[in-house]
Amino acid sequence: MDQTTTVVPTSVIGPVLAAVVALIAYRMLIIRDRRPTTTAAHWYAAFIVLYAVLRVPEVQHWLDELFGLDLSDVRLLGAMLQVCSASALLLLGLRWRSRSGLTARWVWLAIATGCAAICVVLIAVNEPLRSTGLAVEQLSSSWRTGAYLTLHSFMFIPAELVIVVTLWQMAKSATC
């Protein structure tokens, strides 16, 4: 569970995370740039920042006091936020790849549904471990570890492939 909590002092990470959260909120709510690629990038950044905020000891203590969430719950929430960030990255890549910056509505719905399904299965795989305080990665010779880690990283694979293919095609067509 040590990996769940940052060792960076709150006096350092607190202002940095507050500034990043404020910047993302400003861009999403005030500037209101509604281009599809920008929206996907905002969601990607928001999920990553929320994951970073979950690693702050004071936030973990607050979540425990307010909602009764222990470190195993926080670790699971972090994994779910990473799946969400990978889904947003996939959407960003697909929108970036299209000439208009748009994707069909069914693409967004498929990605969101896949993300939700993966998060539900992550909860199911992790559920028997909640009472033990163990992280799924600490199990030896268990199918749960393989399933959890595969699900956790599953959405990153198509996201990175879309981005690599797009960059490759851009490099091939560059005139410089």
Side-chain angles (χ1 to χ4, degrees), residues 38-56:
T38 304
T39 302
H42 286 155
W43 282 111
Y44 174 69
F47 289 129
I48 294 294
V49 169
L50 284 174
Y51 172 72
V53 167
L54 277 182
R55 295 177 52 100
V56 176

Side-chain angles (χ1 to χ4, degrees), residues 131-154:
S131 61
T132 66
L134 286 174
V136 72
E137 297 93 336
Q138 293 173 303
L139 297 177
S140 59
S141 304
S142 174
W143 67 269
R144 291 183 187 281
T145 304
Y148 187 88
L149 294 175
T150 300
L151 289 166
H152 176 264
S153 60
F154 185 77

Side-chain angles (χ1 to χ4, degrees), residues 88-161:
L89 183 63
L90 175 58
L91 185 61
L92 173 61
L94 291 171
R95 287 179 173 176
W96 182 37
R97 185 168 171 67
S98 75
R99 296 204 183 267
S100 65
L102 298 172
T103 52
R105 183 170 175 79
W106 70 266
V107 172
W108 181 89
L109 289 172
I111 292 171
T113 302
C115 177
I118 289 171
C119 288
V120 167
V121 176
L122 280 174
I123 292 169
V125 168
N126 192 60
E127 182 56 34
L129 299 172
R130 288 188 67 225
S131 61
T132 66
L134 286 174
V136 72
E137 297 93 336
Q138 293 173 303
L139 297 177
S140 59
S141 304
S142 174
W143 67 269
R144 291 183 187 281
T145 304
Y148 187 88
L149 294 175
T150 300
L151 289 166
H152 176 264
S153 60
F154 185 77
M155 293 299 275
F156 280 105
I157 296 166
E160 294 298 334
L161 286 174

Side-chain angles (χ1 to χ4, degrees), residues 6 9 14 22 29 50 57-59 64 75 77 83 86 111 122 124 132 135 146 154 156 165:
T6 185
L29 301 173
L50 284 174
E58 286 79 6
V59 172
D64 186 26
R75 189 176 186 95
L77 283 173
V83 170
I111 292 171
L122 280 174
T132 66
F154 185 77
F156 280 105
V165 167

Side-chain angles (χ1 to χ4, degrees), residues 5-21:
T5 306
T6 185
V7 295
V8 178
T10 305
S11 60
V12 174
I13 199 151
V16 170
L17 288 176
V20 172
V21 167

